[in-house]
Amino acid sequence: RCKLDETVEFSQNAVYNVEQGSKSLSMDTGDRMSVKDSLYGLILHSANEVANALAEHAAGSTEEFAKLMNQKAEELGCRDTYFITPNGLDGVKKDKDGVEHIHSTTAADLAAIMRYCVMESPKKDEFLSITRTQNHTFTDSSGRRSYSCFNHNAFLNMMEGVLSGKTGFTGGAGYSYVGAMENEGRTYIIALLGC
């Protein structure tokens, strides 16, 4: 929905609509950076305000982006997934019929999403390049502020053949991980939730 060289501008909603104590790059309202650098901030640092700003850039609002996430999950056959927040933070929402949903997925659905990202997506090469990066340093669009992001996926260096992975944590979900690796021509995907 956007190109890597486009510029993301951080709205007040993107910056302040995150849980207290959640991961952040300390972006301020009005700050600007490229989509590509934003993706490094999102994937490597788990910066929640960056997820919000990217969602607003790609879809106009975090709510509209969550709808797109749910549509994609449905296309991938994810039957037990309901996205509310673009950053993965815990969330609760009532649908148009008044039914309450929580931001949630299952290990099986998360593995299906990772399979798509590393094997089927037209953007898989870009995805793999970013998720395999050990660290990335960049500046905002003005060149005044510098950021360094480090990959928290220790699995990348533990064995040969690791393709990708993402760590996560919320109070509701606990510690979670999804990863992919290749061995003898086969791709393996693991999803661990609440561990």
Side-chain angles (χ1 to χ4, degrees):
R1 296 185 62 91
C2 49
K3 294 184 171 89
L4 293 177
D5 62 353
E6 290 178 14
T7 300
V8 175
E9 184 167 343
F10 287 75
S11 71
Q12 182 173 356
N13 184 61
V15 172
Y16 294 105
N17 190 17
V18 293
E19 272 183 19
Q20 189 76 349
S22 64
K23 295 281 276 186
S24 167
L25 279 180
S26 299
M27 302 304 292
D28 291 323
T29 302
D31 284 351
R32 298 163 53 95
M33 72 171 66
S34 72
V35 167
K36 183 177 182 179
D37 288 333
S38 296
L39 288 169
Y40 280 102
L42 170 67
I43 301 294
L44 301 187
H45 190 72
S46 298
N48 293 302
E49 83 277 24
V50 175
N52 290 340
L54 279 166
E56 290 176 353
H57 182 77
S61 71
T62 56
E63 295 80 14
E64 285 302 310
F65 192 77
K67 287 180 188 175
L68 293 172
M69 291 169 64
N70 286 318
Q71 288 172 5
K72 189 62 172 184
E74 189 175 322
E75 287 172 25
L76 298 178
C78 299
R79 294 186 187 95
D80 298 307
T81 295
Y82 192 87
F83 294 121
I84 297 171
T85 63
N87 49 27
L89 293 175
D90 299 327
V92 178
K93 175 186 172 186
K94 287 188 178 179
D95 65 19
K96 62 182 186 244
D97 299 322
V99 177
E100 189 172 89
H101 297 274
I102 62 169
H103 184 95
S104 58
T105 191
T106 63
D109 284 358
L110 197 57
I113 293 167
M114 178 59 89
R115 179 175 44 89
Y116 172 78
C117 291
V118 300
M119 298 177 72
E120 301 166 1
S121 169
K123 300 289 186 181
K124 68 182 176 188
D125 292 336
E126 290 92 337
F127 177 81
L128 289 169
S129 176
I130 292 171
T131 60
R132 287 178 179 158
T133 299
Q134 288 297 318
N135 54 63
H136 183 73
T137 300
F138 56 96
T139 63
D140 65 359
S141 294
S142 71
R144 293 188 316 245
R145 295 175 65 192
S146 179
Y147 304 91
S148 292
C149 299
F150 303 95
N151 200 329
H152 297 281
N153 181 13
F155 192 48
L156 285 173
N157 298 317
M158 288 183 171
M159 57 182 32
E160 292 294 317
V162 176
L163 294 174
S164 182
K166 180 70 182 91
T167 61
F169 174 83
T170 70
Y175 290 97
S176 303
Y177 179 75
V178 61
M181 70 172 293
E182 284 181 336
N183 188 331
E184 297 181 6
R186 296 186 67 186
T187 301
Y188 297 89
I189 297 172
I190 185 169
L192 306 169
L193 303 179
C195 55

